[in-house]
């Protein structure tokens, strides 16, 4: 037995609303940004006060801070991208 269905029924895919995904990404990105900036301000000041003792501590902190900012930028890129896809 042959069954026929309309083309529109077959071709249209259902999409779940992305509002929840964007809101959760925005909340996580905002919270992470606040924590990262706080850590960079507090620990960074202490790290650069160690210059008379060791030059490696500020260099290591600078590398870690740069990595954190790159990661943060990528997180915000994904957040904005999920907002544009709505």
């Amino acid at each position: 037995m042959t069954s026929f269905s309309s083309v529109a029924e077959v071709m249209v895919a259902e999409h779940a609303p992305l509002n929840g995904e964007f809101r959760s990404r925005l909340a996580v990105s905002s919270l992470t940004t606040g924590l990262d900036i706080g850590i960079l301000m507090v620990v960074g000041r202490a790290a650069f006060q160690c210059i008379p003792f060791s030059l490696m501590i500020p260099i290591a902190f600078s590398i870690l801070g740069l990595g954190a900012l790159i990661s943060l930028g990528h997180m915000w890129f994904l957040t904005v991208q999920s907002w544009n896809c709505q």
Side-chain angles (χ1 to χ4, degrees):
M1 193 169 193
T2 306
S3 72
F4 295 100
S5 60
S6 70
V7 175
E9 206 173 73
V10 174
M11 300 297 287
V12 175
E14 291 185 32
H15 294 286
L18 295 175
N19 289 340
E21 180 183 350
F22 170 70
R23 287 182 183 160
S24 64
R25 280 188 189 263
L26 182 63
V28 168
S29 296
S30 299
L31 182 65
T32 306
T33 300
L35 289 174
D36 279 355
I37 289 174
I39 289 170
L40 289 174
M41 296 298 288
V42 172
V43 179
R45 188 175 307 138
F48 283 98
Q49 290 174 352
C50 293
I51 288 177
F53 306 113
S54 173
L55 188 59
M56 290 306 292
I57 293 174
I59 291 172
F61 179 78
S62 297
I63 292 170
L64 290 173
L66 183 64
L69 292 177
I70 290 171
S71 174
L72 206 63
H74 184 262
M75 183 183 298
W76 275 106
F77 173 75
L78 292 176
T79 301
V80 170
Q81 188 178 21
S82 71
W83 177 56
N84 287 335
C85 291
Q86 285 185 329

